Amino acid sequence: MSRAYNFCAGPATLPEQVLLQARDEMLDWRGTGMSVMEMSHRSDEFVEIAETAEQDVRDLAGISDDYAVLFMQGGASSQFATVPLNLLGNSASADYVNTGIWSEKAIAEARRYGDVNVVASSAGCGFTTVPDQTGWKTRADAAYLHYTPNETIGGLEFDFVPDSGKVPLVADMSSSMLSCPVDVSKFGLIYAGAQKNIGPSGLVVVIVRKDLLGKAHVKIPTMMNYQVMADNASMFNTPATYSWYLTGLVFKWLKDQGGVSAIGELNARKAKKLYHFIDTNPLYSNPIDPRFRSRMNVPFILADEALNSAFLKGADERQLLNLKGHRSVGGMRASIYNAMPEAGVDALIFYMAEFAKERG
Amino acid sequence: MSRAYNFCAGPATLPEQVLLQARDEMLDWRGTGMSVMEMSHRSDEFVEIAETAEQDVRDLAGISDDYAVLFMQGGASSQFATVPLNLLGNSASADYVNTGIWSEKAIAEARRYGDVNVVASSAGCGFTTVPDQTGWKTRADAAYLHYTPNETIGGLEFDFVPDSGKVPLVADMSSSMLSCPVDVSKFGLIYAGAQKNIGPSGLVVVIVRKDLLGKAHVKIPTMMNYQVMADNASMFNTPATYSWYLTGLVFKWLKDQGGVSAIGELNARKAKKLYHFIDTNPLYSNPIDPRFRSRMNVPFILADEALNSAFLKGADERQLLNLKGHRSVGGMRASIYNAMPEAGVDALIFYMAEFAKERG
């Protein structure tokens, strides 16, 4: 089989250019006689790879020197504990917004370490919208305000950055990081599991404002301490070197595409045409408040559930892969991250139209 | 440059056969149209990759069903906290043997969670030997006895498995796992950062006796909880899928080599000839008690330190890489893990002899 269009929500499709370069450099990185995964993390070569990746993400996202950029092991699930263990400090409470399954997971883990105040929730309507910020019950003495800008499973995305006043704003950007321009200076901390828009799974990028360092819980595992990671350029231990390298290749690729502004426009166009098709074809529907529809993850259901299997089978035959919705919600989901070409979205729409005509 | 002989202590050289296969499968794993790193961890394809890797390491190491095998994110440094947070239980204390820098790191982190009793230490002699077990001050009520079978930096290796009686024995096998036959049934828990004998960095393999599960500290981060990992086949979150796949390729390669018995014989032969050369050439020396010399990491010093730079420069020119000793001890170190072919050791000895003749 040639390369398929892979709509998986994560681990997700990567740019072919990145995979080609990784393939070509697999046995010998630039005449060193070694694969990157065989290099000492203290070597000049790897340190250059690591520092270049950091600089590139700083350039792409517009991250100032007021922030440390960390390349940590794990993913968003590990950060669900890492964030409160680092940021609660003497404050016993944090504010969280609940807009879906990933918000709920973050809340459940944070509750194990302090008082969590759910300032707003759209659970009552099945997470189909984002609660208007005028009604949020935030507290001025909260250690931070946490939200999930894009809910990967529900397909719900904020179209605004919450105003948290003087309280540090914390965001799980696992499925939206680098997908469009964001003003990082509005945030205290951003974290993103790599396996959607950034690279392979097992790596999580953390962007943390330096004045928030040094408040970690006395019993925090050392490997989870942002201060320790920042002081050691994310090399307190042996980092996930190969994942870091791949991430760097993705950053270079994104620069080649014109950066986050250009990819943001492309992402908006991809999402708009897919939602437009869903809204205008009677076989398909999407339940999310149009204002807050995710540009990254597009869930949809078929009017007749009995057609699901046939739909997925036909998609597979056309190399349109992993369209089955998350096991917790069912239906279909097309994840169309940065690395999904517009041609992939066009191919999906073409198939969906064809299927509706024949079977709808 | 063609492939070099890379004596790095970790990340370390990998079998060329593994890298070739990874290269060939980079863009399309067996006709799926995807790289392994683009696959859903819940897909049939990846689950097969994951389960095959687990079965292969069970076969290789002789791991019974009494043990869970976990593929966790992080490395030994993260396990230094994970072990006490899981195993201390109601017992407030654990026993540790101190035989070098990695033991000391494990002890320092464990002390943050409970009372650590250092039952024996060879710090007094510069970690050049292993304390005789008859003098160990173990406690019958300890939660576990922890030791480091091979000290990667010092080049010191146990030639026996300590008798811990009814106390669970815990070992950091990061630099010795699968390098020779070991009776796993003597252990309560074994952990090994992958980046020496197993695969790329960022993954840690944990082998834990099932009766030790379920005792985790109430505040343990969920992602560090062995019980949670075991209950979810190491997929509570998105695991480090590509690293897991590469690890599986290394296990297959090791089976092709004849398994751990065969590789153990080869490793013994490689180490024996290198130590023999060091002992018989006046320019070189190794300070470790011969009985406890590491088969994996061979530190040596030159009689005249002023020759160090010339030695390393000449080695680099001959594609004998990363022979510089750890920054904490200086001198030289040749790490000769499973994937270092005997021809690499021969080439090193040839160069060392040549250098001694010309410059010694």
Side-chain angles (χ1 to χ4, degrees), chain A residues 178-181 253-254 256-274 295-296 336-346:
Chain A
L178 298 176
S179 69
C180 67
W253 170 84
L254 188 48
D256 289 347
Q257 308 310 303
V260 291
S261 290
I263 209 85
E265 285 172 25
L266 176 62
N267 286 332
R269 196 164 67 230
K270 282 151 54 182
K272 188 177 177 186
K273 68 166 74 169
L274 183 50
R295 297 162 306 114
M296 296 284 102
I336 51 175
Y337 299 118
N338 287 354
M340 173 57 66
E342 189 166 7
V345 176
D346 292 339

Side-chain angles (χ1 to χ4, degrees), chain B residues 72-259:
Chain B
M72 295 176 71
Q73 294 170 56
S77 294
S78 53
Q79 292 298 314
F80 294 163
T82 310
V83 166
L85 282 168
N86 275 279
L87 299 191
L88 274 177
N90 293 324
S91 170
S93 79
D95 286 349
Y96 278 70
V97 185
N98 182 11
T99 52
I101 290 173
W102 289 104
S103 297
E104 288 182 331
K105 286 175 187 273
I107 289 165
E109 187 76 357
R111 283 215 160 110
R112 303 180 58 231
Y113 301 105
D115 173 31
V116 169
N117 174 34
V118 177
V119 300
S121 171
S122 54
C125 69
F127 299 122
T128 54
T129 193
V130 170
D132 193 284
Q133 205 189 341
T134 56
W136 295 12
K137 298 188 178 69
T138 51
R139 297 186 286 198
D141 63 346
Y144 58 89
L145 170 64
H146 180 283
Y147 82 117
T148 311
N150 183 69
E151 287 280 355
T152 317
I153 294 173
L156 181 76
E157 186 171 3
F158 280 68
D159 69 345
F160 64 96
V161 175
D163 177 6
S164 62
K166 292 188 175 176
V167 172
L169 185 61
V170 175
D172 172 5
M173 287 201 191
S174 294
S175 52
S176 57
M177 173 125 170
L178 298 176
S179 69
C180 67
V182 169
D183 182 354
V184 170
S185 73
K186 291 182 175 175
F187 294 83
L189 187 145
I190 292 167
Y191 61 93
Q195 67 269 21
K196 285 95 162 56
N197 272 321
I198 297 179
S201 59
L203 188 79
V204 55
V205 176
V206 177
I207 303 163
V208 55
R209 217 173 59 213
K210 290 175 182 171
D211 67 292
L212 298 176
L213 299 174
K215 300 176 181 179
H217 190 283
V218 65
K219 293 283 190 187
I220 192 171
T222 303
M223 286 283 297
M224 297 171 78
N225 190 321
Y226 294 140
Q227 176 81 66
V228 173
M229 287 298 125
D231 289 347
N232 291 278
S234 305
M235 295 197 202
F236 174 77
N237 75 325
T238 311
T241 52
Y242 195 68
S243 303
W244 195 333
Y245 153 77
L246 288 166
T247 292
L249 296 185
V250 173
F251 295 156
K252 285 288 184 212
W253 169 85
L254 187 48
K255 282 189 158 182
D256 288 348
Q257 308 309 302

Side-chain angles (χ1 to χ4, degrees), chain A residues 143-322:
Chain A
Y144 56 89
L145 170 64
H146 180 284
Y147 82 117
T148 310
N150 183 69
E151 287 280 354
T152 317
I153 295 172
L156 182 76
E157 185 171 3
F158 281 68
D159 69 345
F160 64 96
V161 174
D163 177 6
S164 62
K166 292 188 174 176
V167 172
L169 184 62
V170 175
D172 172 4
M173 286 201 192
S174 294
S175 51
S176 57
M177 173 126 169
L178 298 176
S179 69
C180 67
V182 170
D183 182 355
V184 170
S185 73
K186 291 183 175 175
F187 294 83
L189 188 146
I190 293 167
Y191 61 94
Q195 67 269 20
K196 283 99 160 57
N197 272 320
I198 297 178
S201 60
L203 189 79
V204 55
V205 176
V206 178
I207 303 163
V208 54
R209 216 172 61 213
K210 290 175 182 170
D211 67 294
L212 297 176
L213 298 174
K215 299 177 180 178
H217 190 283
V218 66
K219 293 283 190 188
I220 192 172
T222 303
M223 286 282 297
M224 297 170 80
N225 190 322
Y226 294 141
Q227 176 82 65
V228 173
M229 287 298 123
D231 289 346
N232 291 277
S234 306
M235 295 198 201
F236 173 78
N237 75 324
T238 311
T241 52
Y242 196 68
S243 302
W244 196 333
Y245 152 77
L246 289 166
T247 292
L249 297 185
V250 173
F251 295 156
K252 285 287 184 211
W253 170 84
L254 188 48
K255 281 189 160 182
D256 289 347
Q257 308 310 303
V260 291
S261 290
I263 209 85
E265 285 172 25
L266 176 62
N267 286 332
R269 196 164 67 230
K270 282 151 54 182
K272 188 177 177 186
K273 68 166 74 169
L274 183 50
Y275 283 115
H276 176 74
F277 174 79
I278 290 169
D279 288 342
T280 53
N281 189 298
L283 182 61
Y284 308 101
S285 64
N286 168 284
I288 305 297
D289 178 352
R291 180 179 159 192
F292 298 112
R293 282 172 165 176
S294 169
R295 297 162 306 114
M296 296 284 102
N297 312 96
V298 182
F300 58 92
I301 54 172
L302 275 60
D304 178 2
E305 280 195 6
L307 292 174
N308 283 359
S309 298
F311 179 86
L312 289 168
K313 186 165 176 288
D316 275 352
E317 287 165 5
R318 284 157 186 79
Q319 302 193 34
L320 305 168
L321 305 183
N322 291 311

